[in-house]
Amino acid sequence: VDVERPSAGRITPACPVQDTCGGCQFQAFNYQHQLEWKRQRVIDELTRIGGLPQVAVEPVLGMENPYGYRNKSQYPVTKDFLGNIILGFYQRGTHKVVRSPIGCLNDHPLNVKAIRAVETLLNDLQASVYDEGTGKGLFRHVVARTSAATQEVMVVLVTNGEEIPRLEEIITGLQATVPEMVSLNQNINTENTNVIFGPKTKLLWGKPTIEDW
């Protein structure tokens, strides 16, 4: 509830919604403490839970930049209390979507760019949004994937049905705002499920695949 005496490794999280979004749990640790905590977690799993004798675990090798590394981003689509379409992450333990005003710091910047572009287009077009309670509405999730090697972006629109109204406007809008996008796909999921993808995916524009290495 309250922090009475902060630890030596405690910092102010870089993300403004870290305390409500379910995507991150350790941003209040500075990075070195995160690595030490992860090393200790491995030791605890092997000794306390696994029952092994004391084991030697090498220090965790950290990243040069511990942000912007996530090459695939999956965002549910919903509306806020003002009726605006938002893309974000589920609040921990709920299905309430939390939108970060600065985008997710862990996502590749091109993923954030693509997600924000789709969000703007859906609002401009007053698109139909899926409602978990009724099973009605069209857009369920938006998925973006970026190749670190080529800086190419793939976008997947997950929909509750086959037809996407004003599809050409979505395609041309994304081409204009996300020139890095080389592949736009639609995945169809009409089931009442928490699973993001349905069984059918079709290419809407561009290449069917991107490559990374």
Side-chain angles (χ1 to χ4, degrees):
V1 177
D2 294 302
V3 178
E4 295 184 359
R5 189 177 67 221
S7 72
R10 189 176 184 89
I11 60 173
T12 300
C15 176
V17 296
Q18 188 269 340
D19 58 337
T20 55
C21 174
C24 302
Q25 289 81 44
F26 298 108
Q27 280 199 26
F29 272 177
N30 70 39
Y31 190 49
Q32 185 57 43
H33 275 71
Q34 291 182 33
L35 300 180
E36 293 170 3
W37 186 93
K38 291 174 182 179
R39 175 178 178 271
Q40 187 61 48
R41 176 67 181 270
V42 173
I43 294 173
D44 290 345
E45 297 284 356
L46 293 173
T47 57
R48 183 175 61 84
I49 298 175
L52 298 177
Q54 187 65 38
V55 294
V57 177
E58 296 292 332
V60 179
L61 298 178
M63 302 167 64
E64 184 175 333
N65 174 22
Y67 294 107
Y69 58 84
R70 188 180 292 154
N71 76 331
K72 186 180 77 168
S73 308
Q74 304 176 149
Y75 285 70
V77 183
T78 190
K79 288 187 177 182
D80 64 14
F81 66 96
L82 296 175
N84 299 311
I85 296 173
I86 60 171
L87 279 67
F89 294 103
Y90 289 126
Q91 183 175 337
R92 192 174 301 120
T94 76
H95 267 211
K96 177 183 177 183
V97 174
V98 177
R99 181 188 188 275
S100 172
I102 62 172
C104 180
L105 296 176
N106 291 333
D107 286 348
H108 193 289
L110 288 178
N111 282 2
V112 176
K113 180 179 180 179
I115 292 294
R116 286 288 183 256
V118 174
E119 182 184 66
T120 298
L121 279 168
L122 295 184
N123 275 290
D124 290 346
L125 299 175
Q126 298 183 325
S128 170
V129 173
Y130 180 73
D131 184 289
E132 288 184 331
T134 65
K136 306 295 183 181
L138 184 62
F139 286 95
R140 299 178 64 133
H141 283 81
V142 178
V143 180
R145 187 187 290 273
T146 295
S147 165
T150 66
Q151 301 296 290
E152 293 180 332
V153 178
M154 171 186 285
V155 174
V156 183
L157 307 174
V158 182
T159 60
N160 180 40
E162 293 266 358
E163 299 300 320
I164 299 179
R166 304 172 74 177
L167 176 59
E168 287 303 319
E169 292 178 65
I170 294 175
I171 294 173
T172 56
L174 289 177
Q175 288 173 327
T177 54
V178 191
E180 298 88 353
M181 185 186 74
V182 298
S183 179
L184 178 63
N185 299 268
Q186 177 189 11
N187 177 267
I188 297 137
N189 184 358
T190 59
E191 298 296 321
N192 182 16
T193 175
N194 291 332
V195 177
I196 293 177
F197 288 117
K200 181 179 179 181
T201 300
K202 61 182 181 180
L203 182 67
L204 300 175
W205 172 85
K207 305 193 300 184
T209 61
I210 58 174
E211 294 183 353
D212 209 344
W213 55 84

